[in-house]
Amino acid sequence: MTQTRRRGAALEAAIYLATREILAEEGLAGLTFPKVADRANTSKPVIYRRWDSPFALAIAALQDKIKRENSGRTDEIKLTGRTLAEDLTQVLKRFTVSMKTFDESYLGSLMGGLNKEQGAAIQRMIAEGNAIDINAIDRVVKRAQDRDELGAGTLPDQVKLLPFDLLRYHLFVNQEFSDAELASVIDDVLLPAYHHALEH
Amino acid sequence: MTQTRRRGAALEAAIYLATREILAEEGLAGLTFPKVADRANTSKPVIYRRWDSPFALAIAALQDKIKRENSGRTDEIKLTGRTLAEDLTQVLKRFTVSMKTFDESYLGSLMGGLNKEQGAAIQRMIAEGNAIDINAIDRVVKRAQDRDELGAGTLPDQVKLLPFDLLRYHLFVNQEFSDAELASVIDDVLLPAYHHALEH
DNA sequence: TCATTTAAGATACTAAAAGTTTCTTATTCA
DNA sequence: TGAATAAGAAACTTTTAGTATCTTAAATGA
């Protein structure tokens, strides 16, 4: 057996990696210091000396990953599109990519302290809710068409679901969504979108 | 001391209440049977006899609340608006209300196995991200204005943040967001909204 | 109303996991 | 090469989850 002993940055890197693996597999609820020490092939005191709580370690581990894989901020992209649509696509695609190493691990790991089957249970509930919400929008659009406010045709499902997704997101992250903001979304986003898709 | 002993429905109601309180305060990670028994002024065996896991109890407790406070489905509302905007407002306001007793407790509690200060830490990160994203959209809009694709003016912040919020939501709930869907959001929602707000 | 059944609750116990202390020894650096 | 620093092993304490047993209150029904 090679008598080697890691320390400093190399040791911390191993601890962060182990932490992220446990987070991915078991979520925040399953993240304990003994498990981390075990998985990183080190000992408990090493972990206890450095961090105060599993949550603090989780934050550190994820920030470490972001630092390593820094894929750039959305406002530092070189924009090369020739149209508004192309520029928006560039920004949002970059955002999606960086989110996948950020939110997915970061918020995803932290917020979703769920395992596989638990996640599946939640998925079903969301799917049921979506069907109901699409229905609701269909009725609203039908009424608008009947009174000749909108032309014929149908909206894409994700356009129908957009306001519900948006409101749910704000509830998730505990951000207030005021009546004024709701009115703005309706007036500034939904109405233009509906009229664009369902012109006379 | 009154020698009274609850059972059946009354007992379960107290257990559900205790469960929801713990969920709200400590999240799913903090939900344990002994804590519930203690808080509901009953004993551990009562809980262990009825449920297999804290997660199962959490689901039951939240479904119980939904059953009690059933505020109706969004597609069963009596629509009375005289315009598309009014109908949309009715649907989305009702959604917001019912979400507050559904998602907020339901998905919110389950997905966010976080306590108060942990939630606050996440809040700060989101706020930082938002500033960056608003910046990115400002640059995109500026370029479009420079090439005379859009007129003068500014978009409301929540309109700028909308696509980012939407993408984050989908990552949260682990729903794929395909390139085609992204393109549809840009073409069918964002472009009409931007043109509407920033007309020549 | 009283005997019988059912289920709640108290208590003590077991098991497992978290967290701590102490000491040894490998690594680093002057 | 020797002193300082930090890693790792191991034994220990504390806490908490989970279980088993028994007593007794509440419901049921002849």
Side-chain angles (χ1 to χ4, degrees), chain B residues 84-109:
Chain B
L84 173 56
E86 286 175 6
D87 276 356
L88 279 174
T89 303
Q90 285 183 7
V91 168
L92 294 177
K93 282 216 168 172
R94 162 59 73 85
F95 179 79
T96 304
V97 170
S98 61
M99 273 302 107
K100 281 211 166 113
T101 60
F102 185 88
D103 264 343
E104 188 185 57
S105 321
Y106 221 124
L107 300 175
S109 296

PDB file of all heavy atoms in Angstrom, chain B residues 84-109:
ATOM      1  N   LEU B  84     -60.482  39.027 -23.483  1.00  0.00           N
ATOM      2  CA  LEU B  84     -59.463  37.996 -23.301  1.00  0.00           C
ATOM      3  C   LEU B  84     -58.623  38.295 -22.062  1.00  0.00           C
ATOM      4  O   LEU B  84     -58.337  37.398 -21.253  1.00  0.00           O
ATOM      5  CB  LEU B  84     -58.575  37.946 -24.552  1.00  0.00           C
ATOM      6  CG  LEU B  84     -57.339  37.043 -24.529  1.00  0.00           C
ATOM      7  CD1 LEU B  84     -57.707  35.613 -24.205  1.00  0.00           C
ATOM      8  CD2 LEU B  84     -56.626  37.114 -25.887  1.00  0.00           C
ATOM      9  N   ALA B  85     -58.264  39.550 -21.901  1.00  0.00           N
ATOM     10  CA  ALA B  85     -57.426  39.939 -20.754  1.00  0.00           C
ATOM     11  C   ALA B  85     -58.128  39.636 -19.440  1.00  0.00           C
ATOM     12  O   ALA B  85     -57.508  39.140 -18.492  1.00  0.00           O
ATOM     13  CB  ALA B  85     -57.067  41.413 -20.846  1.00  0.00           C
ATOM     14  N   GLU B  86     -59.434  39.908 -19.389  1.00  0.00           N
ATOM     15  CA  GLU B  86     -60.166  39.677 -18.145  1.00  0.00           C
ATOM     16  C   GLU B  86     -60.285  38.190 -17.835  1.00  0.00           C
ATOM     17  O   GLU B  86     -60.110  37.768 -16.677  1.00  0.00           O
ATOM     18  CB  GLU B  86     -61.559  40.319 -18.222  1.00  0.00           C
ATOM     19  CG  GLU B  86     -61.515  41.843 -18.105  1.00  0.00           C
ATOM     20  CD  GLU B  86     -62.898  42.475 -18.296  1.00  0.00           C
ATOM     21  OE1 GLU B  86     -63.902  41.721 -18.397  1.00  0.00           O
ATOM     22  OE2 GLU B  86     -62.968  43.717 -18.359  1.00  0.00           O
ATOM     23  N   ASP B  87     -60.555  37.394 -18.851  1.00  0.00           N
ATOM     24  CA  ASP B  87     -60.627  35.950 -18.630  1.00  0.00           C
ATOM     25  C   ASP B  87     -59.282  35.394 -18.160  1.00  0.00           C
ATOM     26  O   ASP B  87     -59.224  34.580 -17.229  1.00  0.00           O
ATOM     27  CB  ASP B  87     -61.050  35.231 -19.921  1.00  0.00           C
ATOM     28  CG  ASP B  87     -62.562  35.205 -20.100  1.00  0.00           C
ATOM     29  OD1 ASP B  87     -63.271  35.670 -19.183  1.00  0.00           O
ATOM     30  OD2 ASP B  87     -63.026  34.718 -21.148  1.00  0.00           O
ATOM     31  N   LEU B  88     -58.227  35.828 -18.815  1.00  0.00           N
ATOM     32  CA  LEU B  88     -56.895  35.366 -18.423  1.00  0.00           C
ATOM     33  C   LEU B  88     -56.594  35.740 -16.984  1.00  0.00           C
ATOM     34  O   LEU B  88     -56.047  34.956 -16.215  1.00  0.00           O
ATOM     35  CB  LEU B  88     -55.822  35.961 -19.344  1.00  0.00           C
ATOM     36  CG  LEU B  88     -55.621  35.265 -20.682  1.00  0.00           C
ATOM     37  CD1 LEU B  88     -54.640  36.056 -21.551  1.00  0.00           C
ATOM     38  CD2 LEU B  88     -55.107  33.846 -20.483  1.00  0.00           C
ATOM     39  N   THR B  89     -56.968  36.939 -16.624  1.00  0.00           N
ATOM     40  CA  THR B  89     -56.739  37.384 -15.247  1.00  0.00           C
ATOM     41  C   THR B  89     -57.492  36.488 -14.275  1.00  0.00           C
ATOM     42  O   THR B  89     -56.937  36.078 -13.248  1.00  0.00           O
ATOM     43  CB  THR B  89     -57.200  38.840 -15.082  1.00  0.00           C
ATOM     44  OG1 THR B  89     -56.508  39.652 -16.037  1.00  0.00           O
ATOM     45  CG2 THR B  89     -56.891  39.346 -13.674  1.00  0.00           C
ATOM     46  N   GLN B  90     -58.724  36.174 -14.608  1.00  0.00           N
ATOM     47  CA  GLN B  90     -59.503  35.301 -13.717  1.00  0.00           C
ATOM     48  C   GLN B  90     -58.847  33.942 -13.545  1.00  0.00           C
ATOM     49  O   GLN B  90     -58.703  33.441 -12.428  1.00  0.00           O
ATOM     50  CB  GLN B  90     -60.926  35.122 -14.267  1.00  0.00           C
ATOM     51  CG  GLN B  90     -61.812  36.338 -14.063  1.00  0.00           C
ATOM     52  CD  GLN B  90     -63.230  36.109 -14.559  1.00  0.00           C
ATOM     53  OE1 GLN B  90     -63.594  35.000 -14.949  1.00  0.00           O
ATOM     54  NE2 GLN B  90     -64.032  37.168 -14.537  1.00  0.00           N
ATOM     55  N   VAL B  91     -58.450  33.350 -14.657  1.00  0.00           N
ATOM     56  CA  VAL B  91     -57.833  32.023 -14.581  1.00  0.00           C
ATOM     57  C   VAL B  91     -56.541  32.070 -13.772  1.00  0.00           C
ATOM     58  O   VAL B  91     -56.311  31.247 -12.879  1.00  0.00           O
ATOM     59  CB  VAL B  91     -57.542  31.464 -15.990  1.00  0.00           C
ATOM     60  CG1 VAL B  91     -56.640  30.233 -15.905  1.00  0.00           C
ATOM     61  CG2 VAL B  91     -58.840  31.119 -16.692  1.00  0.00           C
ATOM     62  N   LEU B  92     -55.708  33.034 -14.063  1.00  0.00           N
ATOM     63  CA  LEU B  92     -54.383  33.055 -13.430  1.00  0.00           C
ATOM     64  C   LEU B  92     -54.455  33.461 -11.966  1.00  0.00           C
ATOM     65  O   LEU B  92     -53.653  33.013 -11.151  1.00  0.00           O
ATOM     66  CB  LEU B  92     -53.436  33.965 -14.212  1.00  0.00           C
ATOM     67  CG  LEU B  92     -53.114  33.450 -15.616  1.00  0.00           C
ATOM     68  CD1 LEU B  92     -52.223  34.429 -16.375  1.00  0.00           C
ATOM     69  CD2 LEU B  92     -52.457  32.070 -15.564  1.00  0.00           C
ATOM     70  N   LYS B  93     -55.437  34.293 -11.646  1.00  0.00           N
ATOM     71  CA  LYS B  93     -55.583  34.642 -10.225  1.00  0.00           C
ATOM     72  C   LYS B  93     -56.084  33.439  -9.436  1.00  0.00           C
ATOM     73  O   LYS B  93     -55.614  33.177  -8.326  1.00  0.00           O
ATOM     74  CB  LYS B  93     -56.550  35.819 -10.061  1.00  0.00           C
ATOM     75  CG  LYS B  93     -55.908  37.141 -10.393  1.00  0.00           C
ATOM     76  CD  LYS B  93     -56.429  38.233  -9.471  1.00  0.00           C
ATOM     77  CE  LYS B  93     -55.571  39.474  -9.619  1.00  0.00           C
ATOM     78  NZ  LYS B  93     -56.114  40.630  -8.905  1.00  0.00           N
ATOM     79  N   ARG B  94     -57.024  32.740  -9.991  1.00  0.00           N
ATOM     80  CA  ARG B  94     -57.501  31.547  -9.330  1.00  0.00           C
ATOM     81  C   ARG B  94     -56.377  30.539  -9.180  1.00  0.00           C
ATOM     82  O   ARG B  94     -56.200  29.901  -8.150  1.00  0.00           O
ATOM     83  CB  ARG B  94     -58.661  30.932 -10.131  1.00  0.00           C
ATOM     84  CG  ARG B  94     -58.955  29.476  -9.791  1.00  0.00           C
ATOM     85  CD  ARG B  94     -59.301  29.256  -8.333  1.00  0.00           C
ATOM     86  NE  ARG B  94     -60.616  29.754  -8.006  1.00  0.00           N
ATOM     87  CZ  ARG B  94     -61.741  29.090  -8.172  1.00  0.00           C
ATOM     88  NH1 ARG B  94     -61.718  27.892  -8.690  1.00  0.00           N
ATOM     89  NH2 ARG B  94     -62.882  29.605  -7.820  1.00  0.00           N
ATOM     90  N   PHE B  95     -55.589  30.435 -10.220  1.00  0.00           N
ATOM     91  CA  PHE B  95     -54.437  29.537 -10.172  1.00  0.00           C
ATOM     92  C   PHE B  95     -53.493  29.929  -9.038  1.00  0.00           C
ATOM     93  O   PHE B  95     -53.048  29.091  -8.267  1.00  0.00           O
ATOM     94  CB  PHE B  95     -53.706  29.585 -11.512  1.00  0.00           C
ATOM     95  CG  PHE B  95     -52.474  28.718 -11.563  1.00  0.00           C
ATOM     96  CD1 PHE B  95     -52.578  27.352 -11.761  1.00  0.00           C
ATOM     97  CD2 PHE B  95     -51.220  29.279 -11.430  1.00  0.00           C
ATOM     98  CE1 PHE B  95     -51.442  26.560 -11.815  1.00  0.00           C
ATOM     99  CE2 PHE B  95     -50.075  28.487 -11.481  1.00  0.00           C
ATOM    100  CZ  PHE B  95     -50.196  27.124 -11.675  1.00  0.00           C
ATOM    101  N   THR B  96     -53.235  31.206  -8.949  1.00  0.00           N
ATOM    102  CA  THR B  96     -52.329  31.689  -7.903  1.00  0.00           C
ATOM    103  C   THR B  96     -52.854  31.312  -6.521  1.00  0.00           C
ATOM    104  O   THR B  96     -52.112  30.825  -5.664  1.00  0.00           O
ATOM    105  CB  THR B  96     -52.164  33.212  -7.978  1.00  0.00           C
ATOM    106  OG1 THR B  96     -51.708  33.552  -9.288  1.00  0.00           O
ATOM    107  CG2 THR B  96     -51.149  33.700  -6.960  1.00  0.00           C
ATOM    108  N   VAL B  97     -54.142  31.509  -6.323  1.00  0.00           N
ATOM    109  CA  VAL B  97     -54.738  31.188  -5.033  1.00  0.00           C
ATOM    110  C   VAL B  97     -54.630  29.704  -4.728  1.00  0.00           C
ATOM    111  O   VAL B  97     -54.168  29.305  -3.657  1.00  0.00           O
ATOM    112  CB  VAL B  97     -56.222  31.635  -4.991  1.00  0.00           C
ATOM    113  CG1 VAL B  97     -56.896  31.070  -3.753  1.00  0.00           C
ATOM    114  CG2 VAL B  97     -56.311  33.148  -5.009  1.00  0.00           C
ATOM    115  N   SER B  98     -55.056  28.889  -5.698  1.00  0.00           N
ATOM    116  CA  SER B  98     -55.055  27.459  -5.410  1.00  0.00           C
ATOM    117  C   SER B  98     -53.626  26.936  -5.309  1.00  0.00           C
ATOM    118  O   SER B  98     -53.348  26.005  -4.566  1.00  0.00           O
ATOM    119  CB  SER B  98     -55.846  26.680  -6.456  1.00  0.00           C
ATOM    120  OG  SER B  98     -55.294  26.846  -7.728  1.00  0.00           O
ATOM    121  N   MET B  99     -52.714  27.556  -6.024  1.00  0.00           N
ATOM    122  CA  MET B  99     -51.308  27.174  -5.895  1.00  0.00           C
ATOM    123  C   MET B  99     -50.796  27.420  -4.493  1.00  0.00           C
ATOM    124  O   MET B  99     -49.935  26.713  -3.996  1.00  0.00           O
ATOM    125  CB  MET B  99     -50.446  27.993  -6.856  1.00  0.00           C
ATOM    126  CG  MET B  99     -50.320  27.409  -8.227  1.00  0.00           C
ATOM    127  SD  MET B  99     -49.629  25.731  -8.198  1.00  0.00           S
ATOM    128  CE  MET B  99     -51.077  24.774  -8.573  1.00  0.00           C
ATOM    129  N   LYS B 100     -51.308  28.469  -3.881  1.00  0.00           N
ATOM    130  CA  LYS B 100     -50.778  28.794  -2.563  1.00  0.00           C
ATOM    131  C   LYS B 100     -51.130  27.730  -1.541  1.00  0.00           C
ATOM    132  O   LYS B 100     -50.465  27.594  -0.528  1.00  0.00           O
ATOM    133  CB  LYS B 100     -51.284  30.167  -2.112  1.00  0.00           C
ATOM    134  CG  LYS B 100     -50.503  31.285  -2.771  1.00  0.00           C
ATOM    135  CD  LYS B 100     -50.378  32.531  -1.916  1.00  0.00           C
ATOM    136  CE  LYS B 100     -49.308  33.449  -2.480  1.00  0.00           C
ATOM    137  NZ  LYS B 100     -49.807  34.710  -3.003  1.00  0.00           N
ATOM    138  N   THR B 101     -52.179  26.976  -1.793  1.00  0.00           N
ATOM    139  CA  THR B 101     -52.460  25.860  -0.879  1.00  0.00           C
ATOM    140  C   THR B 101     -52.028  24.537  -1.490  1.00  0.00           C
ATOM    141  O   THR B 101     -52.171  23.502  -0.875  1.00  0.00           O
ATOM    142  CB  THR B 101     -53.967  25.752  -0.543  1.00  0.00           C
ATOM    143  OG1 THR B 101     -54.691  25.545  -1.747  1.00  0.00           O
ATOM    144  CG2 THR B 101     -54.443  27.001   0.141  1.00  0.00           C
ATOM    145  N   PHE B 102     -51.530  24.606  -2.692  1.00  0.00           N
ATOM    146  CA  PHE B 102     -51.130  23.356  -3.355  1.00  0.00           C
ATOM    147  C   PHE B 102     -49.624  23.321  -3.531  1.00  0.00           C
ATOM    148  O   PHE B 102     -48.912  22.762  -2.716  1.00  0.00           O
ATOM    149  CB  PHE B 102     -51.848  23.253  -4.698  1.00  0.00           C
ATOM    150  CG  PHE B 102     -51.606  21.966  -5.414  1.00  0.00           C
ATOM    151  CD1 PHE B 102     -52.412  20.870  -5.170  1.00  0.00           C
ATOM    152  CD2 PHE B 102     -50.573  21.866  -6.320  1.00  0.00           C
ATOM    153  CE1 PHE B 102     -52.178  19.668  -5.822  1.00  0.00           C
ATOM    154  CE2 PHE B 102     -50.340  20.664  -6.985  1.00  0.00           C
ATOM    155  CZ  PHE B 102     -51.146  19.574  -6.737  1.00  0.00           C
ATOM    156  N   ASP B 103     -49.153  23.963  -4.586  1.00  0.00           N
ATOM    157  CA  ASP B 103     -47.731  23.924  -4.866  1.00  0.00           C
ATOM    158  C   ASP B 103     -46.895  24.393  -3.692  1.00  0.00           C
ATOM    159  O   ASP B 103     -45.924  23.756  -3.329  1.00  0.00           O
ATOM    160  CB  ASP B 103     -47.396  24.803  -6.066  1.00  0.00           C
ATOM    161  CG  ASP B 103     -47.323  23.982  -7.338  1.00  0.00           C
ATOM    162  OD1 ASP B 103     -47.217  22.761  -7.226  1.00  0.00           O
ATOM    163  OD2 ASP B 103     -47.362  24.562  -8.415  1.00  0.00           O
ATOM    164  N   GLU B 104     -47.300  25.511  -3.141  1.00  0.00           N
ATOM    165  CA  GLU B 104     -46.463  26.100  -2.103  1.00  0.00           C
ATOM    166  C   GLU B 104     -46.195  25.091  -0.989  1.00  0.00           C
ATOM    167  O   GLU B 104     -45.069  24.905  -0.549  1.00  0.00           O
ATOM    168  CB  GLU B 104     -47.126  27.349  -1.524  1.00  0.00           C
ATOM    169  CG  GLU B 104     -46.238  28.112  -0.581  1.00  0.00           C
ATOM    170  CD  GLU B 104     -47.001  29.255   0.049  1.00  0.00           C
ATOM    171  OE1 GLU B 104     -48.041  29.003   0.671  1.00  0.00           O
ATOM    172  OE2 GLU B 104     -46.557  30.400  -0.096  1.00  0.00           O
ATOM    173  N   SER B 105     -47.260  24.441  -0.576  1.00  0.00           N
ATOM    174  CA  SER B 105     -47.066  23.423   0.451  1.00  0.00           C
ATOM    175  C   SER B 105     -46.576  22.133  -0.174  1.00  0.00           C
ATOM    176  O   SER B 105     -45.666  21.494   0.325  1.00  0.00           O
ATOM    177  CB  SER B 105     -48.389  23.116   1.151  1.00  0.00           C
ATOM    178  OG  SER B 105     -49.109  24.283   1.341  1.00  0.00           O
ATOM    179  N   TYR B 106     -47.198  21.813  -1.267  1.00  0.00           N
ATOM    180  CA  TYR B 106     -46.945  20.525  -1.875  1.00  0.00           C
ATOM    181  C   TYR B 106     -45.550  20.450  -2.453  1.00  0.00           C
ATOM    182  O   TYR B 106     -44.616  19.962  -1.829  1.00  0.00           O
ATOM    183  CB  TYR B 106     -47.959  20.311  -2.998  1.00  0.00           C
ATOM    184  CG  TYR B 106     -48.482  18.908  -3.036  1.00  0.00           C
ATOM    185  CD1 TYR B 106     -49.835  18.647  -2.972  1.00  0.00           C
ATOM    186  CD2 TYR B 106     -47.613  17.848  -3.154  1.00  0.00           C
ATOM    187  CE1 TYR B 106     -50.313  17.361  -3.014  1.00  0.00           C
ATOM    188  CE2 TYR B 106     -48.083  16.556  -3.191  1.00  0.00           C
ATOM    189  CZ  TYR B 106     -49.443  16.318  -3.122  1.00  0.00           C
ATOM    190  OH  TYR B 106     -49.904  15.051  -3.155  1.00  0.00           O
ATOM    191  N   LEU B 107     -45.425  20.983  -3.663  1.00  0.00           N
ATOM    192  CA  LEU B 107     -44.121  20.932  -4.293  1.00  0.00           C
ATOM    193  C   LEU B 107     -43.111  21.730  -3.501  1.00  0.00           C
ATOM    194  O   LEU B 107     -41.990  21.320  -3.311  1.00  0.00           O
ATOM    195  CB  LEU B 107     -44.239  21.463  -5.720  1.00  0.00           C
ATOM    196  CG  LEU B 107     -45.198  20.652  -6.577  1.00  0.00           C
ATOM    197  CD1 LEU B 107     -45.364  21.283  -7.937  1.00  0.00           C
ATOM    198  CD2 LEU B 107     -44.690  19.238  -6.719  1.00  0.00           C
ATOM    199  N   GLY B 108     -43.534  22.867  -3.021  1.00  0.00           N
ATOM    200  CA  GLY B 108     -42.603  23.718  -2.284  1.00  0.00           C
ATOM    201  C   GLY B 108     -41.974  22.988  -1.125  1.00  0.00           C
ATOM    202  O   GLY B 108     -40.758  22.943  -0.990  1.00  0.00           O
ATOM    203  N   SER B 109     -42.800  22.367  -0.317  1.00  0.00           N
ATOM    204  CA  SER B 109     -42.266  21.658   0.849  1.00  0.00           C
ATOM    205  C   SER B 109     -41.416  20.467   0.438  1.00  0.00           C
ATOM    206  O   SER B 109     -40.372  20.202   1.019  1.00  0.00           O
ATOM    207  CB  SER B 109     -43.403  21.148   1.727  1.00  0.00           C
ATOM    208  OG  SER B 109     -44.137  22.222   2.251  1.00  0.00           O
TER     209      SER B 109
END
